[in-house]
Amino acid sequence: MTDQLPETEQDPRAVAAERRAAKLKQRHAAERRFRWFGRLSIAFGLAAVVFLFTDIIGKGVGAFTQTYVDVPITFDAEALGLTPDSTEKEIKAASFESFFKKSLREMFPEVTDRKAKRGLYAIFTSDMPLILRNMVVDDPTLIGTTQTISMIADDDFDMYFKHSYGRDIDAADQINRLSDSQLEIVDKLVKSGAVYTKLNTILFTNSDSREPELAGIKGAIMGSILTLMVTLLLSFPIAVSTAIYLEEFAPQNKITDFIEVNINNLAAVPSVIFGLLGLAVFINFFGLPRSVPLIGGFVLTLMTLPTIIISSRAAIKAVPPSIRDAAMGMGASKMQTVIHHVLPLAMPGMLTGTIIGMAQALGETAPLLMIGMVAFIVDVPGSVTDSATVLPVQIFLWSDSPERAFVEKTSAAIMVLLSFLICMNSLAVWLRRRLERRW
Amino acid sequence: MTLSSLLIIIFAASAVAYFLGHTRSQQIAKPAGGIRSLAALPSYYATMVGLWALIPSLLLVFLWLALDGSIIASLVKSSLPAEAKQLSPESLGLVLSQVENVASGIGSVESIGIEYRPAIERLQNLNAISAKAMPILSLCALAVGLLLGLRAVRADNNARYSVEKVFNATLFICSSIAIFTTFGIVFSVLFESIAFFQKVPITEFLFGTHWSPQIAIRADQAGASGSFGVIPLIVGTLLISFIALLIAVPIGLMSAIYLSEYASRRVRGFVKPTLEILAGVPTVVYGFFAALTVAPAIRQYGDAARDWGAENGIDWLANLAVSSESALAAGIVMGVMIIPFVSSLSDDVINAVPQSLRDGSFGLGATQSETIKRVIFPAALPGIVGGVLLAASRAIGETMIVVMAAGLAANLTVNPLEAVTTVTVQIVTLLVGDQEFDSAKTLAAFALGLFLFLITLFLNVIALRVVKKYREQYD
């Protein structure tokens, strides 16, 4: 009578065990899923780093080469109206513009159409006559001789030659801005072997320009250096003094509490607000000039102070009290204890914080836009009161330019900025490792 | 004498004063039996004399620089012709700046009127006197300070006390710069905002739904309505910040959990600094990336989706319109930027949860993910919420990414595929370039600044409170 159990009925313990196994399987699956979410998040973050860098490098690497064309030019004394004995003033007054155009017309006699002629002149940078003039000013004996000149190609020609010449026609068409007659000339030049690319030194020796092929970042780099110098000279002593005061001397009262709250708040104030402060206080109230590294430095100082103060305080806190007690026990005053013992021991940490603050200041753009550092400036600034722009602002300005060649330049400038930042951060890491000490 | 050469002279003279003080203290010490007979070390006497020389002269130079412009201007005002004195303050300022230009050689007297000649001559005279008097007076102050300092070098005078007092005061002044900065921010945005609210009623600013800051100069000018309703900007800001947080919070949080609970030391040692690179990249670079890579890609995918929708007869997809500058592009890139911010804050909080809680949970048979979800996460939640609020305030205050990628049109929309504008974008666009300083358009930027400052301040205060309050509840 008990030999036949219904098939559906099972031992309750086996059922429970099965249910437990199923549940366990489910829980382990949940565990695996959870881990995968974690892995995917990290992968997303890492992919963003890799993608950002490859995108910028891929876009910018082209800017490190520039197309040149070797062209023989005869400095015809008659055409220029000059002799080898001409004075500098006469040379400067001579019309190199028409001479340059005439030389080109003689090289390509088949170009007769007015429009085609204009196209011919436009395949070289518009500064070419000026460059020729400067060559003659430097060396008047050139007059009457024939020289092979490395002519700087115009940005459209440059982009075409570097990125699409001899490649797939469809792809070439998309970015090609040269006219048909220009393409013929370019083709002829390339076949003659005169066109080549070499390292683009213009990028590092020139300042900003409306012509992409002549635009460089020297002015912006100098501006950044001057601005950072002002920032460093002001923020380091002020921040270190503040940190020392708050950690070592400040009495516990309302005023110090208020100072602390202020510092923490300032660390979280958006950077545009500091630009508003700079505009209202330094420029409108004190009447200081716009767009100079001095004001930029002031604004960035106020912005980086909290960063440096917070890390300097941490560094001072890390110095063990026994050192202070020992110095006091030897009869040193509080000030002597701090200056002779605490400060040197806390210095590495303070420097690390300062470098990180400077890196922040180097990359900052928004507040500088408001105090007028967006001006188009061709001269390289020589002092902190000269008009200047800084590297991130230069990047912002170029990124807004309609010429396609500026995309390349912008990416190249970003690469320069990022390499400065990586250097500074590695220095901070190295300093921390090197000078870290344990008590 | 230029300012920089004057400053160099003052510093050089102070260095000389230091050595004079040093020699003098030793001269005094010698007959009395060496430096042991002095109340302080010679270097303290030297520093004291140096400070006596430096501080009064420097103070004089800075006060002079700060005040001479306004004093001279008020003196010149009295020499202005009678009709100019009746002008309103704004036009008087204009006249004064014209006078200044002519006095410094830009333009001629005839251009502003011959009756201004006495004022111009007065200004030139005063400027010349000021330029001569400042170096002379400051050098006098330096000499007097030096003599007083040298007289104070006495064996019974403990120079250390006075030197340390000066140092202490300097330290205090430096630390109060943070207060001055905060006051500077508050007052600079507050005064301009008050001026703005006199032109535009505050209710229109807070509740208006139309933002178009271009003010018509002529009556018939197109596209210049001059309305200042901040709501489209708030909606745009919130939309972009929301998208950014949607990306940054889950990814940052999961990264932090994985790195602190699962990852080996080696993986952690590599991944954590790599992720932190994202926090160090300048925002202008993200802006460029958003504008040139992400936004076109989104547009391309949007167009492809629309074509596909049109082919397959899916109506809502066929009507998809993707703007070339979109809230989505700016939001995604901003989200990537604040991932390390969220992850490092959450990392700290998760690490602060005591091991005993984990062990207790494991002891009850929970798996690792169950422990994290049911024990660690609830325990760390207040800290995480604080971290997210800090990230949100950073997203709201972020400027360059949205300036470059989100557009300028003030659309009142929550569609992430459209161009929107944010508070920070408008602050920048209103103030970049030359602008007249008393128009509602410029002042609006300061009102927006005040608004932004208050919002971020509020978020930060709450966030810090939350983090602080729950940080040590297990210890």
Side-chain angles (χ1 to χ4, degrees), chain A residues 27 31 55 59 262 284 333, chain B residues 164 182 293 365 369-370 437:
Chain A
R27 285 172 62 199
E31 171 75 29
D55 184 64
K59 275 197 185 119
N262 267 306
N284 285 330
S333 72
Chain B
E164 289 190 349
T182 310
T293 305
S369 66
E370 283 162 353
F437 213 71

Side-chain angles (χ1 to χ4, degrees), chain B residues 95-161:
Chain B
V95 168
L96 274 178
S97 68
Q98 274 179 328
V99 168
E100 264 166 43
N101 279 343
V102 176
S104 57
I106 307 162
S108 62
V109 192
E110 286 73 32
S111 64
I112 57 168
I114 205 81
E115 68 274 20
Y116 286 94
R117 188 184 288 278
I120 291 164
E121 275 165 7
R122 184 99 196 261
L123 180 62
Q124 279 167 336
N125 268 338
L126 287 171
N127 276 341
I129 292 171
S130 163
K132 281 210 190 88
M134 185 183 65
I136 293 172
L137 284 179
S138 60
L139 292 179
C140 285
L142 193 143
V144 171
L146 178 63
L147 288 178
L148 284 177
L150 284 175
R151 274 190 56 183
V153 181
R154 291 189 309 271
D156 60 334
N157 179 10
N158 192 341
R160 208 191 69 201
Y161 286 146

Side-chain angles (χ1 to χ4, degrees), chain B residues 211 213 403 408 421 424-433 435 441:
Chain B
W211 176 266
V403 167
L408 297 173
T421 192
T424 49
V425 171
Q426 289 305 318
I427 294 178
V428 169
T429 45
L430 290 175
L431 288 182
V432 168
Q435 71 284 123
K441 189 182 154 197

Side-chain angles (χ1 to χ4, degrees), chain A residues 40-321:
Chain A
L40 284 177
S41 304
I42 287 172
F44 181 88
L46 295 183
V49 177
V50 173
F51 188 58
L52 183 68
F53 277 75
T54 47
D55 184 64
I56 300 284
I57 292 171
K59 275 197 185 119
V61 79
F64 291 102
T65 55
Q66 164 71 35
T67 307
Y68 288 86
V69 188
D70 273 345
V71 175
I73 285 201
T74 307
F75 289 97
D76 192 1
E78 217 171 295
L80 281 167
L82 295 171
T83 64
D85 304 323
S86 299
T87 63
E88 198 179 312
K89 209 176 158 194
E90 283 167 352
I91 297 173
K92 282 191 173 160
S95 173
F96 278 88
E97 184 87 40
S98 57
F99 159 72
F100 173 68
K101 287 181 178 169
K102 191 165 158 267
S103 313
L104 286 183
R105 282 198 303 273
E106 278 164 12
M107 271 174 55
F108 294 93
E110 72 276 14
V111 179
T112 49
D113 179 21
R114 252 178 75 122
K115 212 172 141 195
K117 272 187 201 160
R118 223 178 299 138
L120 170 65
Y121 310 143
I123 65 170
F124 299 107
T125 178
S126 58
D127 263 17
M128 246 6 260
L130 204 71
I131 294 169
L132 292 178
R133 195 192 74 181
N134 289 344
M135 284 176 75
V136 178
V137 169
D138 287 344
D139 183 9
T141 56
L142 288 176
I143 294 167
T145 61
T146 303
Q147 299 286 330
T148 306
I149 309 281
S150 298
M151 303 249 249
I152 303 166
D154 185 66
D155 57 325
D156 291 334
F157 176 16
D158 179 48
M159 294 298 283
Y160 173 70
F161 182 69
K162 282 193 301 202
H163 298 293
S164 47
Y165 185 80
R167 298 197 177 89
D168 182 15
I169 292 299
D170 287 342
D173 269 353
Q174 272 184 12
I175 55 166
N176 178 23
R177 287 181 45 189
L178 296 175
S179 68
D180 287 343
S181 67
Q182 279 179 319
L183 284 176
E184 259 171 49
I185 297 167
V186 166
D187 206 36
K188 213 173 141 190
L189 279 172
V190 175
K191 285 208 174 108
S192 72
V195 184
Y196 60 98
T197 61
K198 68 174 187 192
L199 184 69
N200 186 0
T201 50
I202 298 169
L203 185 66
F204 299 101
T205 56
N206 271 22
S207 280
D208 199 5
S209 167
R210 301 264 186 237
E211 305 292 329
E213 70 275 8
L214 296 173
I217 52 174
K218 190 181 174 193
I221 288 181
M222 280 307 294
S224 277
I225 290 174
L226 289 171
T227 310
L228 277 193
M229 216 172 66
V230 175
T231 311
L232 183 66
L233 287 180
L234 287 173
S235 63
F236 182 66
I238 294 176
V240 169
S241 309
T242 307
I244 290 175
Y245 181 77
L246 291 178
E247 281 300 315
E248 300 284 342
F249 293 102
Q252 263 304 317
N253 60 21
K254 289 259 161 81
I255 299 176
T256 30
D257 280 352
F258 189 54
I259 292 175
E260 286 198 28
V261 169
N262 267 306
I263 290 170
N264 288 333
N265 271 342
L266 282 184
V269 169
S271 60
V272 249
I273 306 276
F274 285 96
L276 288 176
L277 170 75
L279 182 64
V281 173
F282 296 129
I283 292 176
N284 285 330
F285 188 70
F286 287 119
L288 294 167
R290 290 172 76 94
S291 72
V292 295
L294 191 66
I295 309 297
F298 285 169
V299 171
L300 293 180
T301 298
L302 298 182
M303 227 189 76
T304 48
L305 270 181
T307 315
I308 309 180
I309 292 173
I310 290 167
S311 62
S312 298
R313 288 184 71 176
I316 293 174
K317 246 183 216 152
V319 176

